[in-house]
Amino acid sequence: MKITNCRIPGTPELCDILIENGVFKKIAPNLTDVSGQTIDAEGRLISPPFVEPHIHLDAALTAGDPEWNASGTLFEGIELWARRKTTLSEQDVIERAVATVKMCALNGIQFIRTHVDVTDPDLVALRAMTQVRTMVRDLCEMQIVAFPQDGILSFPNGRGLMEEAVKLGVDALGAIPHGEFMRDYGVESLKFIMKLAEDNGLLVDVHCDEIDDEQSRFLEVLAALAISYGNGRKVTASHTCAMGSYNDAYTYKLMGVLQKAGLSFVSCPTESIHLQGRMDTYPKRRGLTRVKELLAAGLNVCFAQDSIMDPWYPMGNGHILNVLFHGLHIAQLTGRGEIDRSLEMITTNSAKALGIEDRYGLEPGKPASLLILDADSVYNAVRCQSPPLYSIRNGEIIARTEPAKKILAADSLGG
Ligand SMILES: [Zn+2]
């Protein structure tokens, strides 16, 4: 396959891309080699595939069942999910998860990290998701995080369920330290999963300080543990909303620890601005972590959707460019340079968090996976939330968009 007239960020002239056996063979201007199918990108922007680094596929598409979340709080969401969870079957989880992966694939996502609730004695959702991971492998590479929604020390046999999840084949271990009954349990839960991850060669991705409580300081614990294990590149701190409420003196000290630890951050801007700040009157906090400051400190930060129509969030449709668009507003990353760099937050930064850099990116020798976006620049792709006209994975077209036409009537200027 050959793709001609490609605009590649950082490359001044248009390039052609030659793909052979599912791998990028050459990326350069005016390639004369032709093999098989040719797509003319007509000067459009080429991007590596989008990555969804934080989503809950086991809960997706359950919004309104058994009830809609009336308060819009994280806490009501957890209560509703606890009720819905009692009715889960493997088939139910598989059908919703596969439907949600398809939504993501249609929007250019080819890598997904999903959290799966393991505070269930039967681990129904996890058993289902390990099957989904295989079923969808032509559309995306999936990582599964064992996520203890109701806690590890605060839930009966919480530690045993995490160990069982490891045996069932998860890729990463999670925790929810701010949700445990008390601070000591939260600290202990992090020590427990970091050791379990180390012993089993797994990644770590913690729901960390997802609360507007400025006293919620589990991020420092996670970072300190990552420093002592020397595994910061394998550790992700998701949400860290409380950091948006920390005082500046403490944050200054914390930043130094985070830089030493070298962990990745996932912020879910649409979800957090929706769920957080609910207990505030006015001023009402945005509930996001300090995205702009973390980036300025040289830390790896990416954006994620978190939910698609579940007890926590009634919206969502797999359109992660839309999440980026809103994230730039909410985190005030709207300088021209910030917008021009922003695609990294749903592509290369996320790939780094997932530890997939060896098989990700527009480089000869890597799997030929890319998007042709309907825009001539990153700026316009983000501004217009341009759909991927083609999503190509390992040299195969897996999804296409035919954009709707908008037509102004000829006499609308009154001529
Ligand atoms: Zn989450």
Side-chain angles (χ1 to χ4, degrees):
M1 180 191 280
K2 185 169 152 183
I3 309 170
T4 57
N5 299 311
C6 301
R7 195 171 302 280
I8 297 175
T11 308
E13 42 189 337
L14 295 181
C15 288
D16 297 342
I17 296 176
L18 190 65
I19 296 170
E20 258 183 34
N21 301 319
V23 173
F24 289 121
K25 188 163 182 220
K26 277 188 198 163
I27 303 175
N30 305 313
L31 290 179
T32 48
D33 333 32
V34 177
S35 57
Q37 188 180 6
T38 297
I39 299 172
D40 186 355
E42 297 174 331
R44 292 191 179 88
L45 183 70
I46 306 296
S47 167
F50 296 154
V51 178
E52 171 49 68
H54 186 124
I55 196 164
H56 294 256
L57 291 177
D58 55 342
L61 311 185
T62 62
D65 178 10
E67 282 170 50
W68 291 91
N69 182 336
S71 67
T73 60
L74 181 68
F75 303 99
E76 185 173 343
I78 293 172
E79 272 174 43
L80 288 170
W81 174 241
R83 285 164 60 194
R84 180 61 174 79
K85 202 159 56 167
T86 61
T87 68
L88 287 181
S89 69
E90 286 188 28
Q91 197 52 34
D92 166 36
V93 174
I94 288 169
E95 282 173 14
R96 288 183 291 98
V98 169
T100 310
V101 167
K102 286 181 181 170
M103 282 185 200
C104 291
L106 286 167
N107 286 286
I109 292 168
Q110 294 188 19
F111 297 87
I112 294 178
R113 176 180 281 179
T114 181
H115 295 257
V116 178
D117 186 1
V118 295
T119 46
D120 161 16
D122 301 318
L123 296 173
V124 173
L126 180 58
R127 289 175 204 282
M129 204 61 69
T130 56
Q131 298 171 57
V132 172
R133 184 174 52 190
T134 307
M135 291 164 71
V136 302
R137 66 185 165 199
D138 289 341
L139 291 181
C140 74
E141 178 178 329
M142 183 185 288
Q143 291 181 352
I144 299 176
V145 186
F147 169 53
Q149 175 73 69
D150 298 324
I152 295 176
L153 281 86
S154 309
F155 190 77
N157 191 32
R159 288 187 183 91
L161 288 167
M162 293 296 286
E163 285 162 349
E164 186 62 25
V166 171
K167 288 187 194 138
L168 286 175
V170 295
D171 305 281
L173 298 179
I176 184 165
H178 58 281
E180 300 277 359
F181 292 154
M182 63 172 180
R183 181 178 164 81
D184 287 4
Y185 283 7
V187 172
E188 184 54 37
S189 73
L190 292 177
K191 289 182 179 170
F192 172 76
I193 62 153
M194 288 293 275
K195 169 87 169 63
L196 192 58
E198 180 75 6
D199 290 349
N200 291 278
L202 297 174
L203 303 164
V204 169
D205 191 333
V206 173
H207 279 65
C208 197
D209 303 315
E210 189 185 7
I211 188 165
D212 285 322
D213 174 10
E214 76 285 358
Q215 304 286 326
S216 187
R217 293 184 173 184
F218 293 102
L219 178 55
E220 65 179 15
V221 179
L222 183 62
L225 287 166
I227 291 168
S228 71
Y229 279 106
N231 69 344
R233 293 210 59 172
K234 298 172 86 175
V235 176
T236 299
S238 285
H239 301 302
T240 60
C241 305
M243 200 177 179
S245 298
Y246 292 161
N247 68 67
D248 290 336
Y250 172 68
T251 306
Y252 181 86
K253 172 248 176 182
L254 177 64
M255 281 290 188
V257 181
L258 298 177
Q259 284 170 323
K260 275 200 183 70
L263 27 81
S264 289
F265 292 81
V266 175
S267 174
C268 304
T270 46
E271 181 102 0
S272 288
I273 199 144
H274 157 72
L275 287 174
Q276 304 301 322
R278 291 277 179 168
M279 278 73 181
D280 292 350
T281 54
Y282 286 90
K284 198 182 268 290
R285 282 170 285 183
R286 294 174 186 223
L288 245 65
T289 193
R290 300 193 184 201
V291 174
K292 192 176 179 114
E293 291 75 11
L294 287 167
L295 287 168
L299 290 155
N300 188 45
V301 188
C302 44
F303 279 151
Q305 299 179 81
D306 205 0
S307 292
I308 295 183
M309 293 178 69
D310 71 13
W312 294 274
Y313 185 69
M315 309 291 201
N317 56 13
H319 191 0
I320 197 163
L321 251 183
N322 179 272
V323 171
L324 174 62
F325 177 84
H326 286 97
L328 296 184
H329 289 78
I330 301 165
Q332 296 186 331
L333 286 165
T334 39
R336 176 63 199 254
E338 290 167 322
I339 299 170
D340 286 341
R341 286 190 299 276
S342 67
L343 211 54
E344 295 172 2
M345 297 183 71
I346 58 169
T347 57
T348 47
N349 291 10
S350 319
K352 190 174 173 190
L354 265 59
I356 53 171
E357 297 138 296
D358 61 332
R359 51 197 181 277
Y360 184 89
L362 307 174
E363 288 170 40
K366 288 192 170 171
S369 300
L370 61 91
L371 307 175
I372 304 176
L373 296 172
D374 192 12
D376 61 0
S377 63
V378 171
Y379 175 73
N380 282 327
V382 176
R383 183 178 68 84
C384 302
Q385 301 159 62
S386 307
L389 298 187
Y390 289 88
S391 178
I392 294 171
R393 177 168 173 75
N394 300 325
E396 303 284 335
I397 297 168
I398 59 162
R400 287 200 317 113
T401 301
E402 292 179 359
K405 271 195 180 146
K406 297 177 182 178
I407 300 162
L408 209 56
D411 61 354
S412 56
L413 293 178

